[in-house]
Amino acid sequence: NAGVTQTPKFQVLKTGQSMTLQCAQDMNHNSMYWYRQDPGMGLRLIYYSASEGTTDKGEVPNGYNVSRLNKREFSLRLESAAPSQTSVYFCASRRYFGPGTRLLVL
Amino acid sequence: AQSVAQPEDQVNVAEGNPLTVKCTYSVSGNPYLFWYVQYPNRGLQFLLKYITGDNLVKGSYGFEAEFNKSQTSFHLKKPSALVSDSALYFCAAGLGGSQGNLIFGKGTKLSVKP
């Protein structure tokens, strides 16, 4: 029982590049979430999925897309990365958080 | 707008002394409230939650939190601080009765000195 897993752990991108952050949970939860953490700002919700097949915008969705692939997996995509997206990204399944992905956009 | 406030950026406590990390909330309806701890370069670890019932909630590692509806507060407490408690603490409120759609406070850095 791994809980919530995220890949990759760390990524460096150039401005304009795209990438997908992967998240999976093995707790059979319906709801999953993507947050970003920036210094002095706490965590802010990007997108969430209340159940398989549904996704909704959170507080800061611009520049991101998500896919709820199945009940286990919820991915976050940056189509054209910008330096403002440099952050630490956390996936959550209900109240349980993954270890995070540290993203640096140059 | 709904919000969670942690009025102290940093709290300094001597080891063995009691600690309090403050949190107030402004959320419509009956809130779900949470405390998380984050160690450097790590994810968030769940400490405790309040959904309903007893206003004093006990959680992991000897932490507890007191829900006060009239003051809209949910302060985190521990009777005797340890150096290993030094970390970043986040208070969060669940929107719409959710345990995952959370609004976070900005965090409070707890420093426990020997």
Side-chain angles (χ1 to χ4, degrees):
Chain A
N1 187 338
V4 181
T5 57
Q6 293 183 236
T7 56
K9 286 185 170 53
F10 180 73
Q11 184 74 46
V12 179
L13 292 178
K14 295 180 179 177
T15 297
Q17 287 185 317
S18 62
M19 79 162 293
T20 300
L21 282 66
Q22 306 286 354
C23 174
Q25 53 97 2
D26 60 4
M27 296 173 285
N28 203 35
H29 291 159
N30 286 319
S31 55
M32 296 182 73
Y33 306 81
W34 276 106
Y35 292 88
R36 60 178 287 173
Q37 182 181 20
D38 302 292
M41 300 189 72
L43 281 81
R44 293 178 293 169
L45 183 66
I46 304 171
Y47 269 95
Y48 66 100
S49 171
S51 62
E52 186 179 351
T54 68
T55 61
D56 285 288
K57 294 178 180 180
E59 181 185 354
V60 288
N62 291 346
Y64 306 95
N65 286 301
V66 290
S67 295
R68 183 72 182 269
L69 306 170
N70 47 56
K71 194 170 188 179
R72 287 189 68 246
E73 298 172 292
F74 187 38
S75 63
L76 178 72
R77 183 162 178 84
L78 287 70
E79 291 290 352
S80 178
S84 61
Q85 295 178 304
T86 293
S87 188
V88 182
Y89 292 85
F90 289 101
C91 177
S93 177
R94 292 186 72 185
R95 66 176 186 265
Y96 301 99
F97 281 75
T101 295
R102 194 171 295 269
L103 177 65
L104 174 62
V105 183
L106 301 175
Chain B
Q2 304 188 91
S3 63
V4 173
Q6 294 180 242
E8 301 154 317
D9 290 336
Q10 179 152 347
V11 170
N12 298 312
V13 177
E15 188 174 31
N17 282 1
L19 69 87
T20 298
V21 182
K22 295 179 180 177
C23 172
T24 59
Y25 64 91
S26 176
V27 176
S28 58
N30 294 320
Y32 288 5
L33 298 166
F34 302 82
W35 276 101
Y36 288 87
V37 60
Q38 185 180 36
Y39 296 97
N41 299 313
R42 303 289 296 274
L44 274 72
Q45 294 181 31
F46 169 77
L47 280 178
L48 52 81
K49 68 176 180 180
Y50 171 85
I51 294 180
T52 188
D54 195 348
N55 289 345
L56 186 63
V57 180
K58 293 190 182 299
S60 305
Y61 312 120
F63 284 94
E64 57 190 26
E66 187 168 11
F67 172 68
N68 187 318
K69 189 172 183 177
S70 63
Q71 297 185 6
T72 61
S73 66
F74 189 56
H75 301 331
L76 181 70
K77 301 182 180 185
K78 187 173 183 182
S80 178
L82 300 172
V83 173
S84 57
D85 292 330
S86 298
L88 188 57
Y89 290 80
F90 289 99
C91 181
L95 299 182
S98 166
Q99 292 198 46
N101 188 345
L102 302 176
I103 294 179
F104 281 83
K106 290 182 173 23
T108 298
K109 183 177 180 182
L110 174 65
S111 177
V112 182
K113 300 293 187 188

